[in-house]
Amino acid sequence: MNPVILPLPGNGDMAHALARLLDGEVGEVEFRRFPDGETFVRIDAPLAGREVILACTLARPDGKFLPLAFAAATARDLGAARVGLVAPYLAYLRQDKRFHDGEGVTSIHFGRLLSACADWLVTVDPHLHRHRDLSAVYTIPCAVAHAAPLLSAWIRRHVPSPLVIGPDSESEQWVSAVAKQAGAPYVVLEKQRLGDREVRVSLPPTSHQGRTPVLVDDIVSTARTMIEAVRRLQEAGYAPPFCVGVHGLFAEGAYDALREAGVAAIATCTTVAHPSNAIDVAPLLAQAVGQLGSAALSKDPAG
Ligand code: R5P
Protein backbone atom coordinates (compact mmCIF):
# COMPACT_ATOMS: atom_id res chain seq x y z
CA MET A 1 0.00 0.00 0.00
CA ASN A 2 1.23 3.53 -0.74
CA PRO A 3 2.98 5.37 2.07
CA VAL A 4 1.44 8.00 4.29
CA ILE A 5 3.73 10.99 4.72
CA LEU A 6 3.32 12.92 7.94
CA PRO A 7 4.88 16.39 7.99
CA LEU A 8 6.28 17.82 11.18
CA PRO A 9 5.68 21.60 11.42
CA GLY A 10 7.48 23.49 8.64
CA ASN A 11 7.96 20.37 6.49
CA GLY A 12 4.78 20.56 4.43
CA ASP A 13 6.47 21.31 1.10
CA MET A 14 8.82 18.36 1.49
CA ALA A 15 5.95 16.06 2.50
CA HIS A 16 3.90 17.04 -0.56
CA ALA A 17 6.90 16.64 -2.88
CA LEU A 18 7.58 13.17 -1.44
CA ALA A 19 3.91 12.22 -1.76
CA ARG A 20 3.97 13.19 -5.46
CA LEU A 21 7.21 11.35 -6.14
CA LEU A 22 6.40 8.22 -4.10
CA ASP A 23 2.76 8.03 -5.09
CA GLY A 24 1.79 8.43 -1.45
CA GLU A 25 -0.52 10.68 0.45
CA VAL A 26 0.06 13.37 3.02
CA GLY A 27 -1.61 12.70 6.39
CA GLU A 28 -2.88 15.39 8.71
CA VAL A 29 -0.98 15.83 11.95
CA GLU A 30 -1.89 18.41 14.52
CA PHE A 31 0.73 19.70 16.90
CA ARG A 32 0.11 22.31 19.52
CA ARG A 33 1.36 23.35 22.89
CA PHE A 34 -0.65 22.93 26.06
CA PRO A 35 -0.63 26.06 28.24
CA ASP A 36 2.11 24.49 30.37
CA GLY A 37 4.37 24.11 27.31
CA GLU A 38 3.87 20.38 26.79
CA THR A 39 3.23 19.02 23.29
CA PHE A 40 -0.13 17.77 22.00
CA VAL A 41 -0.11 15.54 18.92
CA ARG A 42 -3.00 14.06 16.93
CA ILE A 43 -2.73 12.15 13.66
CA ASP A 44 -5.83 12.29 11.50
CA ALA A 45 -5.11 9.57 8.92
CA PRO A 46 -5.72 5.81 8.78
CA LEU A 47 -2.33 4.24 9.52
CA ALA A 48 -3.10 0.60 10.34
CA GLY A 49 -0.76 -1.63 8.34
CA ARG A 50 0.61 1.35 6.38
CA GLU A 51 4.17 2.43 5.73
CA VAL A 52 4.49 5.81 7.45
CA ILE A 53 7.14 8.39 6.62
CA LEU A 54 7.78 11.28 8.95
CA ALA A 55 9.11 14.33 7.11
CA CYS A 56 11.23 16.41 9.45
CA THR A 57 14.44 18.18 8.66
CA LEU A 58 16.52 18.54 11.79
CA ALA A 59 18.05 22.01 11.66
CA ARG A 60 17.60 23.55 15.15
CA PRO A 61 16.71 20.09 16.42
CA ASP A 62 16.11 20.55 20.13
CA GLY A 63 12.54 21.82 19.81
CA LYS A 64 11.77 19.32 17.06
CA PHE A 65 12.90 16.13 18.70
CA LEU A 66 10.12 15.58 21.22
CA PRO A 67 7.26 16.28 18.74
CA LEU A 68 8.99 13.92 16.32
CA ALA A 69 9.34 11.19 18.96
CA PHE A 70 5.68 11.60 19.94
CA ALA A 71 4.52 11.50 16.31
CA ALA A 72 6.52 8.32 15.71
CA ALA A 73 5.16 6.67 18.87
CA THR A 74 1.60 7.72 17.99
CA ALA A 75 1.95 6.34 14.46
CA ARG A 76 3.05 3.00 15.91
CA ASP A 77 0.16 3.04 18.42
CA LEU A 78 -2.20 3.62 15.52
CA GLY A 79 -0.92 0.49 13.82
CA ALA A 80 1.67 1.72 11.30
CA ALA A 81 3.57 -1.22 9.79
CA ARG A 82 6.78 0.78 9.89
CA VAL A 83 7.76 4.35 10.64
CA GLY A 84 10.57 5.83 8.55
CA LEU A 85 12.13 9.25 8.91
CA VAL A 86 13.19 11.55 6.09
CA ALA A 87 15.45 14.15 7.67
CA PRO A 88 17.33 15.86 4.82
CA TYR A 89 19.48 17.69 7.34
CA LEU A 90 20.65 15.47 10.15
CA ALA A 91 21.72 17.36 13.24
CA TYR A 92 24.29 16.68 15.95
CA LEU A 93 26.97 15.11 13.82
CA ARG A 94 29.71 17.64 14.48
CA GLN A 95 30.36 16.71 18.11
CA ASP A 96 31.81 13.41 17.04
CA LYS A 97 34.46 13.05 19.73
CA ARG A 98 35.23 14.31 23.21
CA PHE A 99 37.34 17.32 22.26
CA HIS A 100 37.77 18.35 25.93
CA ASP A 101 37.35 16.47 29.20
CA GLY A 102 33.77 15.96 30.25
CA GLU A 103 32.10 16.86 26.93
CA GLY A 104 29.15 14.83 25.70
CA VAL A 105 29.67 13.05 22.38
CA THR A 106 26.25 14.19 21.27
CA SER A 107 26.43 12.67 17.79
CA ILE A 108 26.27 9.24 19.44
CA HIS A 109 23.64 10.24 21.99
CA PHE A 110 21.37 11.84 19.39
CA GLY A 111 21.85 8.84 17.09
CA ARG A 112 20.66 6.52 19.83
CA LEU A 113 17.61 8.66 20.58
CA LEU A 114 16.57 8.91 16.94
CA SER A 115 17.23 5.21 16.30
CA ALA A 116 14.74 4.43 19.05
CA CYS A 117 12.04 6.48 17.26
CA ALA A 118 12.18 5.34 13.65
CA ASP A 119 12.66 2.09 11.73
CA TRP A 120 14.78 3.66 9.01
CA LEU A 121 16.31 6.98 8.10
CA VAL A 122 17.00 8.87 4.89
CA THR A 123 19.19 11.97 4.84
CA VAL A 124 21.38 14.08 2.57
CA ASP A 125 25.15 14.48 2.96
CA PRO A 126 25.48 13.95 6.70
CA HIS A 127 28.48 15.72 8.20
CA LEU A 128 30.69 12.68 8.77
CA HIS A 129 34.25 13.39 9.74
CA ARG A 130 35.43 11.01 12.42
CA HIS A 131 32.47 8.62 12.12
CA ARG A 132 33.11 6.49 9.06
CA ASP A 133 29.41 6.25 8.17
CA LEU A 134 26.01 6.52 9.79
CA SER A 135 26.11 2.93 11.01
CA ALA A 136 28.71 4.10 13.53
CA VAL A 137 26.01 6.28 15.09
CA TYR A 138 22.61 4.88 14.07
CA THR A 139 21.35 1.38 14.76
CA ILE A 140 18.59 1.52 12.11
CA PRO A 141 18.98 1.14 8.32
CA CYS A 142 20.07 4.48 6.82
CA ALA A 143 20.28 5.69 3.24
CA VAL A 144 22.34 8.72 2.32
CA ALA A 145 21.58 10.84 -0.74
CA HIS A 146 24.43 12.90 -2.20
CA ALA A 147 23.83 16.43 -3.42
CA ALA A 148 27.17 16.79 -5.26
CA PRO A 149 25.73 16.10 -8.75
CA LEU A 150 22.99 18.69 -8.15
CA LEU A 151 25.56 21.25 -6.99
CA SER A 152 27.65 20.59 -10.10
CA ALA A 153 24.62 20.96 -12.35
CA TRP A 154 23.69 24.26 -10.66
CA ILE A 155 27.25 25.56 -11.09
CA ARG A 156 27.33 24.54 -14.77
CA ARG A 157 24.05 26.37 -15.35
CA HIS A 158 24.75 29.58 -13.41
CA VAL A 159 28.49 30.24 -13.22
CA PRO A 160 30.60 31.18 -16.21
CA SER A 161 34.11 29.66 -16.17
CA PRO A 162 33.93 28.45 -12.55
CA LEU A 163 36.74 27.74 -10.09
CA VAL A 164 35.38 25.51 -7.30
CA ILE A 165 36.74 26.25 -3.82
CA GLY A 166 36.39 23.95 -0.81
CA PRO A 167 36.59 25.07 2.81
CA ASP A 168 39.31 22.74 4.10
CA SER A 169 41.48 19.76 3.27
CA GLU A 170 38.90 17.35 4.72
CA SER A 171 36.44 18.45 2.03
CA GLU A 172 38.85 17.74 -0.84
CA GLN A 173 37.34 14.46 -2.01
CA TRP A 174 33.85 15.91 -2.10
CA VAL A 175 34.92 19.22 -3.65
CA SER A 176 36.96 17.50 -6.35
CA ALA A 177 33.88 15.45 -7.31
CA VAL A 178 31.71 18.60 -7.50
CA ALA A 179 34.39 20.32 -9.61
CA LYS A 180 34.89 17.37 -11.93
CA GLN A 181 31.19 17.14 -12.75
CA ALA A 182 31.04 20.92 -13.19
CA GLY A 183 33.96 20.71 -15.62
CA ALA A 184 35.99 23.11 -13.46
CA PRO A 185 39.33 23.18 -11.62
CA TYR A 186 39.28 23.31 -7.82
CA VAL A 187 41.35 24.45 -4.86
CA VAL A 188 40.85 23.86 -1.15
CA LEU A 189 41.46 26.42 1.56
CA GLU A 190 43.39 25.92 4.74
CA LYS A 191 41.11 26.49 7.68
CA GLN A 192 41.59 26.79 11.41
CA ARG A 193 38.58 27.04 13.70
CA LEU A 194 39.38 29.18 16.72
CA GLY A 195 35.87 29.29 18.22
CA ASP A 196 32.19 28.91 17.36
CA ARG A 197 32.20 32.17 15.40
CA GLU A 198 35.88 32.56 14.63
CA VAL A 199 37.74 30.88 11.81
CA ARG A 200 40.97 31.65 10.04
CA VAL A 201 41.14 30.78 6.37
CA SER A 202 44.02 30.98 3.91
CA LEU A 203 43.99 30.61 0.16
CA PRO A 204 46.90 28.67 -1.35
CA PRO A 205 48.70 30.36 -4.27
CA THR A 206 46.39 30.21 -7.32
CA SER A 207 46.54 31.36 -10.91
CA HIS A 208 42.86 31.23 -11.83
CA GLN A 209 42.03 34.94 -11.45
CA GLY A 210 40.21 34.92 -14.82
CA ARG A 211 37.69 32.39 -13.46
CA THR A 212 34.62 32.93 -11.31
CA PRO A 213 35.13 31.54 -7.79
CA VAL A 214 32.43 29.27 -6.36
CA LEU A 215 32.70 28.49 -2.66
CA VAL A 216 31.10 25.15 -1.83
CA ASP A 217 30.49 23.74 1.63
CA ASP A 218 28.26 21.09 3.15
CA ILE A 219 27.06 23.35 5.99
CA VAL A 220 26.76 27.11 6.27
CA SER A 221 26.09 27.95 9.91
CA THR A 222 27.65 31.20 11.15
CA ALA A 223 28.92 31.71 7.56
CA ARG A 224 32.27 32.78 9.04
CA THR A 225 34.06 30.16 6.88
CA MET A 226 32.53 31.58 3.71
CA ILE A 227 32.96 35.21 4.77
CA GLU A 228 36.65 34.71 5.53
CA ALA A 229 37.07 32.90 2.21
CA VAL A 230 35.36 35.81 0.40
CA ARG A 231 37.91 38.18 1.97
CA ARG A 232 40.89 36.07 0.90
CA LEU A 233 39.49 35.91 -2.65
CA GLN A 234 39.01 39.70 -2.71
CA GLU A 235 42.61 40.17 -1.55
CA ALA A 236 43.80 37.82 -4.29
CA GLY A 237 41.99 39.86 -6.97
CA TYR A 238 39.12 37.48 -7.75
CA ALA A 239 35.63 38.47 -8.92
CA PRO A 240 32.84 38.27 -6.28
CA PRO A 241 32.29 34.57 -5.57
CA PHE A 242 29.16 32.46 -5.79
CA CYS A 243 28.43 30.62 -2.52
CA VAL A 244 26.85 27.18 -2.76
CA GLY A 245 25.94 25.18 0.35
CA VAL A 246 24.11 21.93 0.88
CA HIS A 247 22.62 22.76 4.27
CA GLY A 248 21.97 26.47 4.80
CA LEU A 249 21.51 26.60 8.56
CA PHE A 250 22.31 30.32 8.78
CA ALA A 251 22.67 31.23 12.44
CA GLU A 252 21.26 34.61 13.47
CA GLY A 253 22.61 37.38 11.22
CA ALA A 254 24.73 34.98 9.14
CA TYR A 255 22.82 35.28 5.87
CA ASP A 256 22.87 39.09 5.86
CA ALA A 257 26.54 39.13 6.85
CA LEU A 258 27.41 36.81 3.96
CA ARG A 259 25.38 38.86 1.48
CA GLU A 260 27.07 42.03 2.69
CA ALA A 261 30.53 40.46 2.36
CA GLY A 262 30.36 41.01 -1.41
CA VAL A 263 29.16 37.79 -3.02
CA ALA A 264 27.66 37.30 -6.47
CA ALA A 265 24.89 34.95 -5.26
CA ILE A 266 24.09 32.41 -2.54
CA ALA A 267 22.44 29.09 -3.38
CA THR A 268 21.49 26.30 -1.00
CA CYS A 269 19.65 23.00 -1.22
CA THR A 270 16.09 22.50 0.01
CA THR A 271 17.34 20.33 2.89
CA VAL A 272 16.62 23.32 5.17
CA ALA A 273 13.91 25.76 4.07
CA HIS A 274 15.52 29.17 3.48
CA PRO A 275 15.18 32.08 1.02
CA SER A 276 18.50 30.99 -0.54
CA ASN A 277 17.07 27.60 -1.59
CA ALA A 278 17.77 27.03 -5.28
CA ILE A 279 18.57 23.32 -5.51
CA ASP A 280 15.71 20.88 -5.02
CA VAL A 281 16.67 17.62 -3.29
CA ALA A 282 13.18 16.05 -3.23
CA PRO A 283 13.93 13.68 -6.16
CA LEU A 284 17.11 12.50 -4.37
CA LEU A 285 15.14 11.87 -1.19
CA ALA A 286 12.44 9.94 -3.01
CA GLN A 287 15.04 7.80 -4.72
CA ALA A 288 16.73 6.99 -1.40
CA VAL A 289 13.37 6.19 0.23
CA GLY A 290 12.57 3.92 -2.72
CA GLN A 291 15.80 1.98 -2.27
CA LEU A 292 15.60 1.74 1.50
CA GLY A 293 11.84 1.39 1.60
CA SER A 294 11.73 -1.61 -0.71
CA ALA A 295 14.49 -3.33 1.29
CA ALA A 296 12.68 -2.55 4.54
CA LEU A 297 9.32 -3.58 3.12
CA SER A 298 10.64 -6.93 2.02
CA LYS A 299 11.05 -7.79 5.71
CA ASP A 300 8.05 -8.95 7.70
CA PRO A 301 7.23 -6.06 10.08
CA ALA A 302 6.33 -8.57 12.77
CA GLY A 303 9.62 -10.40 12.40
C1 R5P B 1 33.02 22.12 8.76
O1 R5P B 1 33.68 21.10 8.82
C2 R5P B 1 31.95 22.31 7.76
O2 R5P B 1 32.25 21.70 6.54
C3 R5P B 1 31.65 23.78 7.50
O3 R5P B 1 32.79 24.37 6.92
C4 R5P B 1 31.28 24.51 8.75
O4 R5P B 1 30.27 23.85 9.44
C5 R5P B 1 30.84 25.93 8.42
O5 R5P B 1 30.51 26.58 9.59
P1 R5P B 1 30.39 28.15 9.67
O6 R5P B 1 29.39 28.58 8.63
O7 R5P B 1 29.91 28.38 11.09
O8 R5P B 1 31.75 28.73 9.43
Side-chain angles (χ1 to χ4, degrees), residues 36-297:
D36 59 6
E38 294 183 2
T39 294
F40 169 92
V41 58
R42 176 169 178 264
I43 299 173
D44 188 12
L47 300 188
R50 309 279 301 269
E51 188 75 15
V52 170
I53 300 174
L54 298 171
C56 183
T57 200
L58 284 165
R60 295 168 181 83
D62 293 15
K64 292 179 182 155
F65 177 74
L66 211 48
L68 176 63
F70 287 154
T74 306
R76 284 191 214 288
D77 275 355
L78 296 174
R82 228 175 316 264
V83 180
L85 169 62
V86 175
Y89 174 69
L90 192 54
Y92 279 116
L93 280 166
R94 281 179 286 181
Q95 189 73 13
D96 57 3
K97 75 167 199 175
R98 202 182 316 285
F99 295 93
H100 302 103
D101 288 352
E103 288 178 356
V105 185
T106 47
S107 55
I108 300 278
H109 304 152
F110 191 65
R112 281 190 200 137
L113 288 167
L114 221 48
S115 296
C117 296
D119 295 305
W120 52 262
L121 167 71
V122 161
T123 191
V124 179
D125 289 329
H127 188 82
L128 294 168
H129 270 196
R130 276 157 284 260
H131 296 307
R132 113 197 137 268
D133 57 38
L134 285 179
S135 69
V137 186
Y138 285 82
T139 57
I140 52 176
C142 296
V144 170
H146 298 286
L150 299 182
L151 267 47
S152 303
W154 189 92
I155 292 169
R156 272 202 310 271
R157 230 175 302 126
H158 294 94
V159 187
S161 185
L163 166 66
V164 174
I165 301 173
D168 51 34
S169 55
E170 285 160 341
S171 69
E172 178 155 6
Q173 218 183 340
W174 178 69
V175 166
S176 63
V178 172
K180 189 170 174 201
Q181 290 180 52
Y186 75 91
V187 292
V188 291
L189 305 168
E190 276 163 36
K191 171 172 155 185
Q192 231 187 321
R193 184 166 285 282
L194 307 170
D196 286 349
R197 289 173 185 272
E198 204 185 342
V199 293
R200 197 171 289 151
V201 157
S202 56
L203 179 69
T206 56
S207 54
H208 297 290
Q209 272 77 353
R211 288 186 167 266
T212 314
V214 188
L215 294 163
V216 295
D217 208 340
D218 62 341
I219 295 175
V220 189
S221 175
T222 65
R224 293 318 307 176
T225 304
M226 285 211 172
I227 290 168
E228 288 302 307
V230 172
R231 293 198 177 130
R232 297 298 87 76
L233 289 165
Q234 285 165 346
E235 288 160 7
Y238 278 93
F242 286 70
C243 297
V244 180
V246 179
H247 308 294
L249 302 182
F250 293 111
E252 170 120 42
Y255 184 53
D256 287 343
L258 182 56
R259 286 204 301 182
E260 284 157 18
V263 300
I266 304 170
T268 59
C269 296
T270 53
T271 58
V272 180
H274 188 266
S276 62
N277 285 171
I279 301 168
D280 182 14
V281 296
L284 285 185
L285 294 170
Q287 205 181 7
V289 171
Q291 284 157 5
L292 197 56
S294 53
L297 281 168

